Amino acid sequence: AQSVTQPDIHITVSEGASLELRCNYSYGATPYLFWYVQSPGQGLQLLLKYFSGDTLVQGIKGFEAEFKRSQSSFNLRKPSVHWSDAAEYFCAVASWKNNDMRFGAGTRLTVKP
Amino acid sequence: SQTIHQWPATLVQPVGSPLSLECTVEGTSNPNLYWYRQAAGRGLQLLFYSIGIDQISSEVPQNLSASRPQDRQFILSSKKLLLSDSGFYLCASSPRTNTGELFFGEGSRLTVL
């Protein structure tokens, strides 16, 4: 079965600084990859997804992610972080057949003023 | 897009009492439905997923059960709650066309005392 690793439990960046959140996945075939964001006490919102094609995908709120098959990675980036980006971020992988999305443990982002 | 309704939003229950969390979906037909549990600092754990009425797969052995009596209704239950059942429970839905994207409800916070 597929699995996801997010190596960083907690990251702190200054407002206006760039951001990269790491995600590594394990799956035997071409995965469907996702990044979700969760504000405290809320459900999850999709930021972006990769199914096929261009390996650099653009999402909402100025986020982007790059699929690197050779590294089994799907890192999330943002050139300039805003205070409102403080939240928990989850990387996820799904397979077409299984319909069961697996999530990483999440990375909590703190933004310093 | 789909809208997921979950209730109750918060619940405090004594050990040994029963549980029923309900989830309903609007804006789609015949979706795939999921129950996830989110324990503090541990990401999302897939508990159950369903591809149709009365078709439910359990991912982990546990004290909980799920039922899908109608196409867009998904219920999470327990006959006797344990302390370890405390957590944040999220219902999610994905369209039958399987774009892979999950739509989440706002979650139900369960505290077992």
Side-chain angles (χ1 to χ4, degrees):
Chain A
Q2 60 272 32
S3 65
V4 178
T5 301
Q6 292 180 247
D8 304 306
I9 296 174
H10 184 205
I11 284 182
T12 300
V13 299
S14 298
E15 191 168 14
S18 64
L19 171 70
E20 183 169 29
L21 302 182
R22 296 184 291 166
C23 172
N24 293 98
Y25 69 90
S26 173
Y27 184 58
T30 299
Y32 296 89
L33 295 162
F34 308 81
W35 275 99
Y36 285 83
V37 61
Q38 183 183 33
S39 298
Q42 304 280 316
L44 279 70
Q45 180 186 23
L46 180 70
L47 285 176
L48 47 78
K49 60 187 176 184
Y50 170 80
F51 286 173
S52 63
D54 193 348
T55 55
L56 183 64
V57 293
Q58 303 296 321
I60 61 172
K61 305 183 181 185
F63 285 93
E64 66 177 25
E66 186 171 12
F67 171 56
K68 293 185 178 180
R69 183 187 300 275
S70 61
Q71 298 177 21
S72 297
S73 70
F74 189 56
N75 294 346
L76 181 72
R77 301 193 294 248
K78 186 169 184 177
S80 177
V81 170
H82 188 262
W83 64 266
S84 61
D85 293 324
E88 186 131 22
Y89 292 81
F90 292 93
C91 182
V93 60
S95 66
W96 176 265
K97 288 184 179 179
N98 290 339
N99 288 310
D100 57 346
M101 186 173 292
R102 307 288 174 165
F103 286 82
T107 298
R108 184 161 61 91
L109 174 65
T110 298
V111 180
K112 293 190 302 183
Chain B
S1 65
Q2 303 175 33
T3 303
I4 318 300
H5 299 285
Q6 270 187 254
W7 69 93
T10 58
L11 194 60
V12 180
Q13 292 286 99
V15 169
S17 63
L19 170 74
S20 180
L21 299 180
E22 190 158 345
C23 170
T24 58
V25 181
E26 293 179 358
T28 188
S29 294
N30 198 20
N32 297 323
L33 296 175
Y34 309 81
W35 277 111
Y36 286 88
R37 177 169 57 204
Q38 185 177 22
R42 296 184 63 183
L44 279 78
Q45 179 187 31
L46 178 63
L47 301 176
F48 300 95
Y49 70 94
S50 171
I51 61 173
I53 294 174
D54 295 330
Q55 296 177 279
I56 297 167
S57 298
S58 175
E59 286 297 300
V60 293
Q62 58 200 314
N63 184 43
L64 302 169
S65 62
S67 60
R68 186 172 177 176
Q70 300 180 46
D71 179 46
R72 291 175 289 173
Q73 182 185 27
F74 205 26
I75 299 171
L76 184 69
S77 304
S78 174
K79 292 182 179 177
K80 289 185 178 182
L81 284 168
L82 305 173
L83 286 174
S84 57
D85 291 325
S86 293
F88 192 53
Y89 290 83
L90 288 159
C91 178
S93 170
S94 68
R96 176 56 57 183
T97 52
N98 197 18
T99 63
E101 177 180 356
L102 291 182
F103 296 86
F104 284 86
E106 292 299 309
S108 298
R109 181 158 306 280
L110 170 65
T111 302
V112 182
L113 301 175

